[in-house]
Amino acid sequence: MRCSLRSFPVLLLLLLCPLLVPAAETSRQVRIGVLAWQGLEEAEVRWSTLMNQLADQLPGRALVLRHFDLAGVAAALKAGELDFVVTNPGHYVFLEAESGISRIATLVADNASDPAHVVGSAVVVLADRQDIQALADLEGRSLAAVSPDAFGGYQVAWGELRRQGLDPEQGRPKPVFTGFPMSRVVEAVLNGDADAGVLRVCLLERLERDGALRPGQLRVLSPRPGASPCQASAPLYPGWAFAAAPDTPPALSRDVLVALLALTPDAAGQSWSVPADYHPVHELLRALQIGPYAFLRETAWPSLWERYWPWVCGLVLALLAGGAYTLHVEHLVQRRTRELTQAMAARQRLEVQVREGQQQMDHLSRLSVLGELSGTLAHELNQPLATIGNYARSLLRRQDSGSLAPAALRQAAEEIASESERAAGILGGIRALARKRNRVREAHDPAVLVGDAGRLFAGMLPGVPELQVCGRCDDLRVWVDPLQIQQVLLNLFKNAWDAQQAAACGAPIQVELERAGDRCIVAVRDHGPGLAPEMQGRLFEAFFTTKPDGLGLGLSICKTIVEAHGGDLSASAPASGKGLVVRFSLPLADAGNSVVREPIR
Ligand code: ADP
């Protein structure tokens, strides 16, 4: 087959033709879905007039009418199968929220004058039921209705009953759903199967008009004055809505609206009006928590419990576990605190015991030093006492012989006074050392402390070598217990003397004072044999001694005393020559320091 370039567009058109024809047909179709709430047949009959009228108004358009139940409309909208929806006010409000449809017209029925007040409910009872005069009398009765989904046939009446403190949902009155058609409700009331029944507004009047019901046989409860020509027990709501799907072209919506408005009322008095305000329908559905507001029920406690009970149980269990754990921890904390308190009390008791023991040792060591020193105390005291005695006797002799010159008397008295002061000084120092006393911290000149200790040392022992004090802490004061430092110095002097005696050395014992930062260093140097290296580490051990009559406590107590003052004690070989240097540091007193006396137990 020959094919030229010129014939190509014709061929293309021929190929596309089968595809284009159905599309054009579809674009001419107007797909309308209606809610068949009373069944398909009833819907066919009900809407056929409208379809015919619309078809006349929309020449060139093919109207396709489809009937659905409540869920079917939403599904068809979702599938994009509808251009328009005709449905009751409650269902319209639901689809508006769910599928995004928007009303273009509202149905005015039964020759009502206002499209916003068309649909409603009439609650009817047998006319001779004297016991039921108003809606409030329905407490404890039964109430017939076609279906819980019927807007005018149930929901409007339900809303009104709720407003009056009743609630069919809770069985007050007990609802009896008969199903469609609505004449079944009338039958239930007439037969006595239900005390009352809910009818769509104007149905009662129509049934009476048509002869299906004897006029006056049924009575409307709590009739309200309103715009409707019929009796209603509840407020009236906007009529059925004619709504456009979200994807419907605006031009098509406009054409259909114009067509609807152009229609004349049908035989049943139905016509289409501009869209009414459906806000009251929203309020009713919200109050009943149905339709688009059904989710509100889910936040009610029972439904929350139904949905979240595993979480709630888990949370409660977690809280209980947390509480139990907290109690357990609390119990542990209390037990540990008790144990800690007991341990601390035991430790404090131990510390007191240690302190008392140390105190005791301190005292014993002072007594021991005194014991060692007082071996020759009698000899030392003998000398001043003998001198005093000699002077006293000499005075008596001269007095008796009448040769007592005033100058000689004066000299003898001065000697006696000086010797007795010397003896008293020795005894005073010994008494101070031997006494149990409170520990103190006072500011003292370190040179004075060294001098006092030296005098006591020289006063108690015969033939002690001279003490050479050099260097000063330049008018500074140390922050010390003077008697304890005297005890330390006496120990060091005594050890130095023992060492020099062992080496048969009569050289002076040297004491050097030197400032180092915020401390004063006191160094006692002798010229004895010094320390063998293996003894160096044991020098400050308690009971370490190389002396036959030694206790080995002196240096260990000195160390305790010095450390209690915040200083330290050490021994080393001198830079030159034989002997040993024992040095200790003492804190300097600063301006803020003052005398402190702490009681010793
Ligand atoms: P004690 O004097 O009762 O022995 P210390 O604790 O005062 O107790 O001294 C312990 C030991 O340290 C002495 O026995 C001695 O061996 C040694 N020691 C102390 N001072 C000196 C010193 N200046 N030179 C040599 N050795 C010393």
Side-chain angles (χ1 to χ4, degrees):
M1 182 182 152
R2 284 178 53 198
C3 189
S4 73
L5 260 180
R6 236 179 298 158
S7 63
F8 181 73
V10 179
L11 271 175
L12 191 65
L13 202 60
L14 283 175
L15 280 172
L16 287 178
C17 245
L19 294 173
L20 290 175
V21 169
E25 263 177 16
T26 309
S27 71
R28 283 203 302 273
Q29 276 185 358
V30 179
R31 299 164 300 171
I32 303 171
V34 297
L35 176 67
W37 56 288
Q38 293 197 69
L40 295 181
E41 280 176 27
E42 198 275 349
E44 288 276 5
V45 173
R46 183 172 178 196
W47 301 109
S48 60
T49 315
L50 172 67
M51 285 300 117
N52 292 337
Q53 288 178 326
L54 268 184
D56 292 346
Q57 293 290 331
L58 297 166
R61 302 257 190 201
L63 298 187
V64 179
L65 183 70
R66 294 176 65 189
H67 307 96
F68 298 96
D69 60 6
L70 291 167
V73 180
L77 275 170
K78 198 172 175 195
E81 295 169 1
L82 295 177
D83 298 310
F84 296 97
V85 171
V86 182
T87 188
N88 75 30
H91 192 217
Y92 163 70
V93 164
F94 173 74
L95 292 177
E96 189 184 40
E98 179 87 358
S99 309
I101 63 171
S102 52
R103 61 194 178 275
I104 61 171
T106 295
L107 185 65
V108 182
D110 302 313
N111 294 317
S113 55
D114 178 5
H117 299 95
V118 176
V119 176
S121 299
V123 180
V124 297
V125 292
L126 283 172
D128 55 4
R129 287 293 296 260
Q130 296 304 320
D131 54 330
I132 307 175
Q133 291 297 332
L135 288 178
D137 298 331
L138 291 178
E139 173 86 67
R141 318 277 179 182
S142 57
L143 178 70
V146 278
S147 154
D149 296 325
F151 185 70
Y154 178 64
Q155 292 170 349
V156 173
W158 176 15
E160 184 57 23
L161 286 167
R162 280 274 293 259
R163 267 193 289 276
Q164 303 211 9
L166 299 177
D167 191 354
E169 205 176 28
Q170 294 176 357
R172 307 169 36 233
K174 183 171 171 288
V176 178
F177 294 110
T178 61
F180 293 99
M182 206 170 267
S183 54
R184 288 191 191 170
V185 173
V186 176
E187 282 163 22
V189 177
L190 292 176
N191 296 341
D193 294 339
D195 295 306
V198 184
L199 300 182
R200 187 165 44 78
V201 79
C202 288
L203 180 63
L204 177 67
E205 287 80 356
R206 201 168 74 213
L207 290 173
E208 287 179 352
R209 224 174 22 243
D210 296 348
L213 195 65
R214 185 160 45 83
Q217 200 173 358
L218 295 179
R219 171 165 46 89
V220 175
L221 292 178
S222 306
R224 306 166 67 95
S228 171
C230 311
Q231 293 190 89
S233 305
L236 295 174
Y237 290 85
W240 279 49
F242 201 111
D247 299 333
T248 304
L252 178 59
S253 294
R254 193 194 57 231
D255 290 351
V256 172
L257 172 60
V258 170
L260 285 171
L261 293 179
L263 298 181
T264 48
D266 62 9
Q270 293 194 139
S271 64
W272 291 92
S273 167
V274 288
D277 177 13
Y278 283 76
H279 192 241
V281 182
H282 275 281
E283 281 183 352
L284 175 67
L285 299 191
R286 189 185 301 124
L288 298 176
Q289 297 184 337
I290 57 174
Y293 301 100
F295 71 91
L296 291 174
R297 285 168 182 258
E298 291 170 16
T299 56
W301 285 114
S303 57
L304 274 182
W305 169 250
E306 207 169 286
R307 183 184 286 190
Y308 296 114
W309 70 265
W311 291 94
V312 173
C313 287
L315 191 70
V316 169
L317 281 178
L319 284 175
L320 284 176
Y325 180 70
T326 309
L327 282 178
H328 176 64
V329 169
E330 181 71 19
H331 172 70
L332 278 184
V333 167
Q334 277 181 4
R335 206 176 70 192
R336 297 270 151 80
T337 308
R338 218 170 26 244
E339 286 171 1
L340 208 65
T341 312
Q342 285 169 355
M344 278 170 64
R347 190 183 150 172
Q348 273 171 1
R349 273 198 306 276
L350 207 67
E351 276 176 7
V352 168
Q353 278 174 8
V354 168
R355 211 164 47 227
E356 281 174 359
Q358 219 166 31
Q359 204 70 39
Q360 199 63 23
M361 243 167 71
D362 185 19
H363 184 230
L364 279 176
S365 116
R366 286 201 305 272
L367 292 183
S368 122
V369 171
L370 284 176
E372 289 176 40
L373 295 175
S374 62
T376 53
L377 185 64
H379 171 265
E380 281 305 295
L381 286 179
N382 239 356
Q383 202 182 332
L385 287 176
T387 311
I388 291 168
N390 285 341
Y391 274 109
R393 272 191 295 278
S394 159
L395 284 177
L396 282 174
R397 256 194 326 272
R398 289 187 187 187
Q399 172 70 24
D400 290 346
S401 63
S403 60
L404 184 59
L409 176 64
R410 180 179 181 79
Q411 189 207 347
E414 277 175 0
E415 286 294 337
I416 287 171
S418 137
E419 288 300 312
S420 66
E421 273 168 16
R422 185 168 159 241
I426 293 169
L427 288 174
I430 291 168
R431 206 170 43 236
L433 275 177
R435 199 174 61 215
K436 281 191 174 177
R437 40 182 270 289
N438 287 345
R439 192 173 65 185
V440 296
R441 289 286 182 274
E442 295 168 356
H444 281 271
D445 183 342
V448 172
L449 290 175
V450 171
D452 285 350
R455 265 187 296 283
L456 190 58
F457 177 62
M460 292 177 71
L461 291 174
V464 291
E466 186 193 344
L467 270 189
Q468 264 182 6
V469 183
C470 63
R472 292 185 72 84
C473 277
D474 295 337
D475 295 335
L476 291 175
R477 300 279 179 275
V478 283
W479 189 242
V480 294
D481 179 336
L483 280 180
Q484 282 192 328
I485 298 307
Q486 211 168 45
Q487 181 185 345
V488 172
L489 287 164
L490 277 176
N491 259 302
L492 299 188
F493 294 162
K494 169 78 170 46
N495 280 346
W497 188 56
D498 285 346
Q500 293 205 159
Q501 269 196 323
C505 169
I509 294 170
Q510 292 167 339
V511 182
E512 195 179 353
L513 298 172
E514 183 191 3
R515 181 176 181 172
D518 59 350
R519 304 189 160 252
C520 175
I521 311 288
V522 183
V524 178
R525 190 243 160 112
D526 64 66
H527 296 81
L531 261 190
E534 64 272 15
M535 288 187 184
Q536 194 94 30
R538 305 191 57 199
L539 197 60
F540 301 108
E541 267 179 29
F543 305 110
F544 169 71
T545 180
T546 57
K547 300 171 193 170
D549 55 348
L551 273 179
L553 285 174
L555 284 179
S556 90
I557 287 175
C558 287
K559 191 168 174 64
T560 310
I561 291 173
V562 170
E563 284 174 355
H565 279 77
D568 62 331
L569 178 73
S570 63
S572 59
S576 63
K578 285 186 7 178
L580 188 72
V581 184
V582 183
R583 53 167 66 78
F584 62 95
S585 61
L586 293 173
L588 292 178
D590 57 38
N593 285 337
S594 59
V595 176
V596 174
R597 288 176 195 279
E598 297 167 11
I600 292 176
R601 297 179 49 197

